[in-house]
């Protein structure tokens, strides 16, 4: 697959320029993220009083309230599930622990909007569960799934793996000796967990929690399925229902403020991560052996979460897809799949090339200014896709108007093309590729560069003959993660794609918007299958790190 990553024509030319002017290639990459952010924030500097009066009177109170309760509920939910399961699989021994230690990560393969429409299809008033409860037990009004509690529950089940992953790594670094030392000082097992183990794992837990909160703020598909109004749905409606791009940009500027606050908190926690890492030196593989009802409770809790978050949605998708594929699978699905694969492939190649260029520039010129520029270039992952779509569409529309006025053209040149979609992907997913590439470059010793230089292998030749072969696994990981993220991506594709150019994710959105749960299962199954790729990568790397 490394041969399939054409970084040569794109990155090679750029990398050649690094020797004479690194900023000439790095600054344009940073501008891909900076321009849409500045465009959106500029809406605050030039407020439209009429639009703001309308937003404050009719829109913002509901959006602020819904967003507050959603972030609070999901935050509490993912913390409860993630921390409890991380502690059980990392520090305890109970029946099924080895299976659950990796299986509890599998919900990451399912987009949250897929889990959402499966739950609605099963638990809605006319769904099979509610019907069974009425027929068998006479329960006429089961708890409504179309509610704030319903969307919080579904998003908690979809996003808890972020906290589980980071908290588990923190608990594994502590080992059993820490608990034994606390208990030798007179603390009970529960007191030792609450007063010693949990505070020491706090940086890891908070890092996962903030990631889950950012995903909650950025989510569009899940809240759309539940018809639960948040900033992302309001931005979409302002643009496509009210045809008011200024209103969309005003709403996006408010959302971007909340995202920056969360991103700043996440950055501060990264700076404190050495506290958790230092404890890993005392790690020991021994675990607390649970017996009797404690062991049964641990197995039941792990089984319940795994069943609700992964097994149940997958079983239902397969069931629906098997009943609809013969009638629904036609040449249109080949077109949807081709569009998804084409966008994901082109996006992964382009984003990978930019990440490699950025990472290599940082290695060749490890200055503070270069590191800050690299961090600014990767901020797009913290921004919702709807915000980036608005921020990119406005300057593209301005450019199109200039072309039309200057050259007397009949229509748009850039708007509604794949170039705009790919540009938005670059701004959104550069961080996904940059992380593995930066990590891989960090593992290549400087002595390798010095040895190559002594043999006359420098510049682009050193990259092709020495660094790229050593970066093969890192580049493959970056490409796989970006490919699958783009396959699942919904708001950017929905808002910037050419007219009638639908993908599998857009097909899921259209079917769920009409309540056609069964017909949404087929494209959802294809997306879920592809989504398993990065999760298996993650599981394998995690297991290797733990042994």
């Amino acid at each position: 697959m490394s041969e399939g990553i054409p970084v040569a024509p794109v990155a090679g030319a750029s990398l050649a320029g690094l020797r004479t002017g690194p900023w000439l290639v790095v600054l344009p990459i940073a501008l891909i993220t900076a321009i849409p952010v500045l465009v959106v924030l500029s809406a605050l500097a030039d407020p439209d009083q009429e639009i703001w009066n309308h937003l404050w009177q009719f829109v913002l109170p509901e959006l602020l309230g819904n967003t507050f309760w959603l972030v609070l509920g999901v935050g509490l939910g993912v913390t409860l599930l993630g921390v409890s399961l991380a502690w059980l699989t990392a520090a305890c021994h109970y029946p099924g622990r080895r299976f659950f230690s990796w299986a509890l990560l599998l919900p990451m393969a399912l987009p949250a909007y897929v889990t959402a429409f499966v739950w609605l299809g099963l638990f809605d008033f006319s769904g099979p569960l509610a019907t069974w409860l009425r027929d068998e037990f006479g329960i006429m009004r089961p708890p409504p799934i179309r509610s704030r509690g319903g969307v919080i529950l579904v998003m908690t089940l979809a996003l808890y793996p972020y906290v589980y992953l980071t908290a588990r790594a923190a608990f594994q670094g502590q080992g059993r000796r820490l608990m034994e030392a606390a208990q030798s000082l007179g603390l009970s097992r529960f007191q030792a967990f609450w007063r010693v183990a949990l505070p020491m794992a706090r940086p890891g837990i908070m890092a996962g929690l903030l990631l889950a909160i950012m995903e909650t703020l950025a989510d569009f598909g899940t809240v759309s399925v539940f018809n639960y109004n948040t900033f992302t749905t309001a931005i979409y409606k302002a643009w496509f229902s009210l045809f008011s791009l200024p209103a969309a940009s005003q709403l996006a500027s408010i959302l971007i403020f909340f995202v920056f606050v969360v991103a700043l908190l996440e950055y501060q926690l990264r700076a404190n991560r050495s506290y958790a890492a230092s404890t890993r030196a005392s790690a020991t593989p021994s675990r607390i052996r649970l017996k009797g009802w404690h062991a049964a409770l641990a197995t039941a809790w792990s089984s319940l979460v795994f069943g609700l978050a992964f097994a149940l949605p997958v079983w239902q998708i397969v069931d629906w897809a098997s009943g609809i594929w013969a009638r629904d699978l036609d040449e249109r699905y080949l077109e949807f799949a081709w569009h998804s694969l084409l966008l994901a492939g082109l996006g992964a190649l382009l984003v990978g090339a930019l990440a490699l260029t950025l990472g290599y520039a940082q290695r060749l010129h490890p200055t503070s200014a270069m590191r800050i520029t690299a961090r600014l270039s990767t901020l797009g992952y913290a921004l919702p896709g709807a915000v980036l779509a608005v921020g990119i569409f406005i300057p593209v529309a301005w450019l199109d108007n200039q072309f039309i006025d200057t050259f007397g053209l009949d229509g748009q040149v850039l708007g509604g093309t794949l170039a705009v979609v790919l540009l938005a992907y670059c701004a959104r997913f550069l961080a996904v590729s940059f992380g593995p590439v930066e990590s891989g470059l960090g593992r290549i010793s400087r002595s390798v560069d010095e040895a190559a230089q002594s043999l006359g292998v420098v510049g682009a030749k050193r990259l092709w003959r020495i660094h790229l072969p050593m970066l093969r696994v890192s580049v493959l990981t970056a490409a796989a993660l970006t490919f699958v993220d783009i396959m699942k991506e919904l708001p950017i594709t929905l808002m910037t794609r050419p007219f009638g150019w639908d993908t599998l994710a857009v097909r899921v959105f259209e079917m769920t918007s009409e309540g056609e749960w069964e017909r949404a299962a087929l494209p959802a199954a294809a997306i879920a299958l592809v989504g398993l790729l990065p999760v298996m990568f993650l599981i394998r790397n995690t297991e290797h790190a733990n042994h």
Side-chain angles (χ1 to χ4, degrees), residues 464-530:
W464 289 111
R465 294 176 58 181
I466 298 176
H467 287 160
L468 272 184
M470 299 177 75
L471 285 171
R472 191 173 67 88
V473 174
S474 299
V475 171
L476 279 174
T477 303
L481 292 173
T482 309
F483 183 91
V484 177
D485 265 348
I486 293 176
M487 282 285 291
K488 295 188 295 185
E489 205 286 332
L490 180 56
I492 288 178
T493 313
L494 190 66
M495 297 170 77
T496 62
R497 76 191 192 284
F499 180 75
W501 218 82
D502 294 341
T503 64
L504 291 171
V506 172
R507 180 67 175 175
V508 172
F509 174 77
E510 290 177 345
M511 291 297 97
T512 53
S513 298
E514 299 172 5
E516 298 272 7
W517 314 124
E518 295 183 5
R519 299 185 68 188
L522 203 54
I527 295 173
L529 279 176
V530 177

Side-chain angles (χ1 to χ4, degrees), residues 108-133:
M108 293 183 79
L110 293 176
Y113 55 81
V114 170
T115 306
F117 82 75
V118 169
W119 272 70
L120 268 187
L122 282 174
F123 300 106
D124 208 359
F125 184 79
S126 58
L129 182 66
T131 304
W132 178 71
L133 290 174

Side-chain angles (χ1 to χ4, degrees), residues 175-187 192 196 284 286-288:
R176 183 180 178 180
R177 292 176 183 172
L178 187 67
M179 290 289 291
E180 291 176 343
Q183 288 179 276
S184 69
L185 295 175
L187 299 180
V196 178
T284 172
S286 60
R287 294 183 173 87
I288 301 168

